[in-house]
Amino acid sequence: MVDENRLRKELDAEQCKAALQISGPVLILAGAGSGKTRAVTYKIAHLISAHQVDPRRILAVTFTNKAAKEMKERIRKLLGGEAHLDWMGTFHGICLRILKLCLAQPRISEVMGWTYSRNFTIYDSDDQARTLKSVVLPILGEVESAELKKISGKISRFKNSMCLVADVAGPKVSLQTPELVKEQARFGDEEQTATFYLEYQNKLMAADAMDFDDLLFRTVQLFQKMPAVASQFANRFQQVFVDEFQDTNDIQFLLLRQMMNPARNVTVVGDDDQSIYGWRGANIGIIRSFHEDFAPVTIVKLERNYRSTSLIVKGAGSVIENNARPESMRKKVYSELEDGDPIRVFRVADDRVEADRIAEKIYSLGPTAYNETAIFYRTNAQSRSLEKALNDKRIPSVIFGGMRFWDRKEVKDLLAYLRILVNSRDDAALGRIINVPPRGIGKTSLEDLQAIARKQKLGAWEALANEVQLGTKLGGKFKAFHDMMEDLRKYLKDENSSLPILAEKLIEKSRYKIWIEEEEKDQAEERAANMGELVNALREFEEEHSDSNGGGGLEQFLQEVALLSDADKKVVEGQTRVTLMTIHMAKGLEFENVFLAGCDEGVFPLIRKSSLATTSAAEIKALEEEERRLFYVGATRAKRRLFIYSATQRFWQGTVTSFSESRFLSEIDSTAVERLDLAGSASEERTGGYSGGRSQQYGQSFGNKTFQRGGGNGFSGGSSGGYSRPQASNTIRKVYPGGIPDPDSSNKPKGPPIREIVYDEHSQENLYFKPGMMVRHARFGVGLIRGLLGTGPEAKVDVEFQDGVVRKLILKYANLTILQRE
C-alpha cells in the first residue's frame, strides 16, 4: 500500500507535499536533480493504491517514450504488480491513440470531412520532403534542399502555433489551418506558402498519411469541431499529469485544456530554468503563467539537488540567477552532498589544444570512467576535433545525433516495403522502393503510372494493380513487383504469420541483400547486419506482444517506430565509451564527469550575427536567456566533476577566428570555481598536462582495437549488431547437469532432479518440444508448453508462463531451454 505513511517515510517533505495534493491544479517546480520523477511516480501509485483511481483513467504525458516506459516500471514496482497505465506516453503517442479510436467511427470522419482510415501511415521527415517536393516542383521547379526545408519549417510552425482571428465576440485564438493561412496572406510569398501548405495537406490525406505535427494538429482540430468528443475524453480522465511542462508549445497546451475535466485534477511538472527548446516552438510563458491560467494553483518547489556536489550546484545556480524570472517561479536549488571538486575552467590557445586537453584528462580517468563521461558542445561542427583527439588516444566514443538505426537506408527501405503491406495508399513508401533494388522500371514507366493515377484519381498502387490486372504493356513492367507484394500481403493476412519471418521473406523475395552484396561490397557486411537487426527488432516486438490478442501486429510496430525520437535513443547499454553530444541532447541525462567545450562568446552563447539587424532588443534578451538556460542544463548534468573550456581562437565557419571568454564563465560564483589560463603557452599545452605517466599504459591496453560509433535501435536497447541466423540442428546438449531449480518454489515439480536440455534453435522435424514439457525462456522465465502449431522454421509454440499468461512464440527464435526430469 502506497499510503500517506509510506509517502512521508520515503519522500522528502516537498516531494511528499506534491504527492499528497490529489485535487485541483498542481504546479511542481522541479529544480535540476531534485527527484521530480520520484515524486510523480509515488503520486500516481498513491492515487491507484490509496484512492482506488483506475489507472486506465490516468492520463500521463512524458517527453519521451523511454521516460514513459521507465515511469511505468517504477510504478509497477511500487505497487508490487502491474498497473494498466494505458494512457501514459508522449503527446504524439496519446494523440495517435485518440485518432485511431475516433477514425474507427465513420460518423466522425463524415463530420470532419476526412478520408483517413484508422490505419493511416505516419510520415517521417524523408516522406514529408518527398511529398512536399511533389507539391513544389510544378510551381518552382527543382529547388535546393535548404529551400525545401525552409518551406517545411514554415508549415510545421503553422501547425504548432496559434493565431488571433476576429470574431463577433472579439478576437479568439485559432488553429492555423491551410484555409486560414491562405485567407490571412497579404503578400505574394505568403500566398505561395499557403498554397503549398494546402496542397501538402491534401496530398497527405490522399495518401492516408499524417506527418508528426498532424497527430496533434488533427486531434485539436477534431476536438474543436466536435466538442462532445473532447468532453468524452476529458471525462474519461480523473487525473492528468504532464512532465517537462516547460517544453510544451501552444498546440500542446490547447490540447491539455481540451482534455481537462471540470474537477481540473491536473499536475504539471517542469522547471523554467531548463526550458531550452524555444527554437522549435516551446513557449516558456506557458509554465510561467500556469498559476494564473488555472488559479487557484498549488505550487510545490523541489529545490534540493540529489545529483550534483554542492560546488557544482552553487556554480550553476549563480549563472542562472542572471536570468529575469517572475518572483513566483524563483527557486533556491541546493545540495546537501559534499562540496566535491571545484568547477575547473580552462582557457586554452585554440580548439585543437582544447580537444587534446579534454582527451588527456579523460585518458587519465581510465577506461572504467568512460561510460560515466560526456563531452557537450553547442554545435555539431565542434565534434570533429574532439572525435579526432579521442581517437588518437584510442578512447572509444559515440556521437549521438548522427545517423540512427532507423534512419539507415537499408532499414528505411525495408520499412517502406512493410508500410505498403499495411497501407497500399502510402505513395511516399511506394515511390521509395518501387525500383529498389532495380527491377527494370524506368523513369518513363513511373511517369506514365503517375499520369494514369492522376487522371483516374487513384493512388499509385491502385493504378499499378489495375494495369497489371488489365494486362497492359505498362502493367507488364510492374507485374513481378506487384505479384511479390501480393504474396507477402497474403502471408501477412494468414492468422499464423510471423513478423520476423515476414521480414525474412521480404529480404529474400526482393533480393535486397543480394543486391547490396553486389553493389556495395565494402559496406555489405554492415548493411546486412542492419537488416538482420531489423528482423531481430520484429522478433522482440512480437514476443513483447505475444499475449496481446492481436495487438502486436505490423501496423502497431510501424507506428511505434515512427513515434521513436532521438531522445529515446540517447543511452546505449553494455558498451564502454565516452559520450559526445550537443547540449540539447543532454536533457534528462547525468554523468559523473562532464566536459563543456567551446564556451566562447559567439559560440556559446550562440546568437547569430546575421539575424541581429532584424531582431529587437527584447528578442535578443530572450535568446540570451535561453542560451543561459542551456548552459545551466549542461552544467547540472555533472554529478561529481565539471570541466569547462574556452579558446582564444578556433576554426569557425571557414576561418580562424579570435574569441573572448563566454559571458557565462564570468557569472560563475568565484568560490565554486578554479581557473587555469593556459592560452599563453601553446607549446606547453600540446605536450598534454594530464597523463601523469599513464599514457603509455592505456595506449597499449587498447592496442589496435577498432571502436565504432553507433546508436540504439529503440527495441533491443543495444547497438545494431548483426543478426546471425542459427544453424539448424537435431542435437540435444546438456548444459547444467545439476539443473537450475524453478524460481517459483510453489511450482517446483516433485520427483527426481531437473536437468536442462538446450534445443539448438529449430529442427525441421521439431523432435523435442511436446505439450506438457516445462521450458525456460530468457525473458519470461519458466513455463509449460500447452500446444504446438506447424513444423519447420515457421513452427509456433504456446507456452503458459508463471505469470499465468499464455504466449505464442516462434520456435526458431524463442531459444527455449527444456527442463526435463532424469
Side-chain angles (χ1 to χ4, degrees), residues 21-26 43 47 53 57-59 234 237-242 256 259-268 290 294:
Q21 185 63 43
I22 63 170
S23 60
V26 180
K43 181 169 184 174
L47 287 166
V53 175
R57 298 194 65 187
I58 295 174
L59 172 65
F237 303 122
Q238 287 181 258
Q239 295 279 343
V240 176
F241 293 80
V242 182
L256 172 65
M259 290 199 293
M260 196 178 303
N261 65 30
R264 303 195 312 158
N265 295 330
V266 57
T267 301
V268 300
F290 180 82
F294 293 91

Side-chain angles (χ1 to χ4, degrees), residues 540-646:
E540 291 182 2
F541 174 83
E542 192 166 74
E543 285 194 355
E544 288 173 2
H545 296 81
S546 57
D547 61 336
S548 59
N549 298 318
L554 179 59
E555 174 193 348
Q556 185 179 344
F557 172 82
L558 293 172
Q559 288 171 349
E560 288 195 10
V561 170
L563 288 171
L564 290 172
S565 64
D566 283 335
D568 291 310
K569 288 174 276 316
K570 291 175 183 173
V571 178
V572 179
E573 298 175 0
Q575 300 188 30
T576 301
R577 51 192 185 177
V578 174
T579 301
L580 293 86
M581 65 177 80
T582 64
I583 305 179
H584 281 102
M585 291 283 291
K587 186 72 176 292
L589 302 181
E590 57 183 39
F591 299 88
E592 290 285 317
N593 315 295
V594 167
F595 294 79
L596 278 177
C599 290
D600 310 321
E601 195 67 18
V603 178
F604 192 18
L606 180 64
I607 300 175
R608 304 184 190 280
K609 294 179 181 179
S610 59
S611 64
L612 290 180
T614 57
T615 306
S616 68
E619 290 171 329
I620 292 174
K621 185 174 185 295
L623 289 171
E624 178 189 335
E625 291 197 342
E626 179 153 324
E627 290 289 305
R628 188 175 281 110
R629 291 193 294 271
L630 190 58
F631 181 91
Y632 177 73
V633 166
T636 54
R637 301 310 95 192
K639 294 161 71 174
R640 297 182 61 82
R641 301 178 190 89
L642 175 60
F643 305 91
I644 302 176
Y645 292 79
S646 71

Side-chain angles (χ1 to χ4, degrees), residues 33-314:
S34 61
K36 67 173 175 101
T37 304
R38 183 176 179 84
V40 172
T41 52
Y42 270 81
K43 181 169 184 174
I44 294 175
H46 177 62
L47 287 166
I48 296 169
S49 177
H51 296 275
Q52 289 74 54
V53 175
D54 186 340
R56 288 166 294 195
R57 298 194 65 187
I58 295 174
L59 172 65
V61 182
T62 58
F63 192 61
T64 65
N65 295 303
K66 180 175 179 289
K69 185 176 181 181
E70 290 175 350
M71 193 174 289
K72 285 180 183 179
E73 182 62 21
R74 288 195 189 191
I75 293 168
R76 186 191 69 77
K77 288 180 179 178
L78 285 174
L79 296 174
E82 195 63 50
H84 297 285
L85 291 156
D86 300 339
W87 290 91
M88 178 177 283
T90 63
F91 271 112
H92 294 91
I94 296 296
C95 287
L96 171 63
R97 186 169 184 193
I98 290 171
L99 288 169
K100 287 176 69 65
L101 287 171
C102 291
L103 290 170
Q105 307 297 321
R107 172 63 180 158
I108 291 179
S109 294
E110 182 182 338
V111 171
M112 296 302 299
W114 291 348
T115 60
Y116 293 116
S117 74
R118 69 183 306 273
N119 297 326
F120 63 86
T121 298
I122 303 171
Y123 273 10
D124 64 11
S125 56
D126 282 355
D127 302 320
Q128 294 172 42
R130 190 175 291 109
T131 304
L132 184 58
K133 188 173 183 179
S134 70
V135 169
V136 171
L137 194 63
I139 299 174
L140 300 182
E142 287 290 342
V143 296
E144 297 288 335
S145 59
E147 180 63 22
L148 202 63
K149 189 174 181 180
K150 184 178 177 182
I151 297 169
S152 178
K154 288 180 179 179
I155 293 174
S156 180
R157 284 192 291 276
F158 288 144
K159 293 182 183 182
N160 283 285
S161 58
M162 319 300 289
C163 68
L164 289 175
V165 295
D167 188 70
V168 291
K172 70 174 184 179
V173 175
S174 173
L175 285 175
Q176 298 200 67
T177 63
E179 295 77 13
L180 181 60
V181 171
K182 196 168 187 66
E183 180 184 318
Q184 293 190 332
R186 294 292 177 267
F187 304 99
D189 60 333
E190 293 176 351
E191 292 175 353
Q192 188 178 75
T193 301
T195 299
F196 292 152
Y197 181 18
L198 179 62
E199 288 301 311
Y200 172 70
Q201 290 299 97
N202 290 340
K203 282 263 189 183
L204 288 180
M205 191 177 293
D208 196 18
M210 296 189 194
D211 63 22
F212 225 55
D213 294 328
D214 277 330
L215 296 177
L216 274 68
F217 182 81
R218 292 298 192 189
T219 303
V220 171
Q221 192 176 36
L222 189 157
F223 284 173
Q224 285 188 337
K225 191 165 185 177
M226 303 184 72
V229 175
S231 294
Q232 288 179 5
F233 281 99
N235 291 324
R236 175 193 291 254
F237 303 122
Q238 287 181 258
Q239 295 279 343
V240 176
F241 293 80
V242 182
D243 194 13
E244 303 289 359
F245 192 63
Q246 75 280 352
D247 293 323
T248 52
N249 62 25
D250 293 351
I251 199 164
Q252 291 167 343
F253 182 59
L254 180 56
L255 184 66
L256 172 65
R257 299 194 74 133
Q258 290 173 326
M259 290 199 293
M260 196 178 303
N261 65 30
R264 303 195 312 158
N265 295 330
V266 57
T267 301
V268 300
V269 190
D271 180 8
D272 61 328
D273 288 338
Q274 297 185 68
S275 179
I276 59 174
Y277 293 110
W279 53 278
R280 68 181 191 193
N283 184 351
I284 194 173
I286 291 174
I287 189 171
R288 286 182 170 173
S289 63
F290 180 82
H291 64 292
E292 297 170 351
D293 294 335
F294 293 91
V297 173
T298 301
I299 299 178
V300 182
K301 297 181 180 181
L302 305 184
E303 298 175 309
R304 180 179 174 184
N305 184 308
Y306 290 89
R307 174 192 299 150
S308 307
T309 58
S310 293
L311 288 179
I312 291 174
V313 172
K314 183 179 183 180

Side-chain angles (χ1 to χ4, degrees), residues 68 81 176 228 311 313 331 344 361 382 471 476 493 528 544 578 663 665 668 712 785:
Q176 298 200 67
L311 288 179
V313 172
K331 301 177 300 299
R344 292 192 167 91
K361 180 57 184 174
Q382 294 169 251
K493 290 179 179 178
E544 288 173 2
V578 174
R663 69 189 76 176
L665 303 190
I668 302 174
I785 295 179

Side-chain angles (χ1 to χ4, degrees), residues 659-767:
F659 289 94
S660 58
E661 187 179 83
S662 169
R663 69 189 76 176
F664 302 149
L665 303 190
S666 64
E667 296 171 355
I668 302 174
D669 188 315
S670 61
T671 63
V673 69
E674 178 183 284
R675 292 175 174 272
L676 187 59
D677 188 347
L678 300 169
S681 179
S683 60
E684 180 183 346
E685 271 287 296
R686 290 190 173 91
T687 65
Y690 284 120
S691 63
R694 301 175 67 185
S695 174
Q696 183 65 26
Q697 173 189 345
Y698 287 109
Q700 291 178 345
S701 172
F702 286 104
N704 295 321
K705 201 168 185 179
T706 301
F707 296 89
Q708 296 179 341
R709 285 180 273 158
N713 62 22
F715 285 87
S716 67
S719 66
S720 58
Y723 166 84
S724 176
R725 183 186 177 110
Q727 298 299 311
S729 169
N730 293 336
T731 62
I732 299 177
R733 293 181 284 115
K734 268 189 192 177
V735 179
Y736 305 110
I740 296 180
D742 190 331
D744 185 345
S745 58
S746 64
N747 289 334
K748 282 186 179 179
K750 297 177 182 178
I754 292 175
R755 69 183 176 89
E756 288 202 348
I757 299 174
V758 175
Y759 172 56
D760 262 347
E761 293 297 321
H762 64 282
S763 154
Q764 296 300 315
E765 292 76 31
N766 187 22
L767 297 176

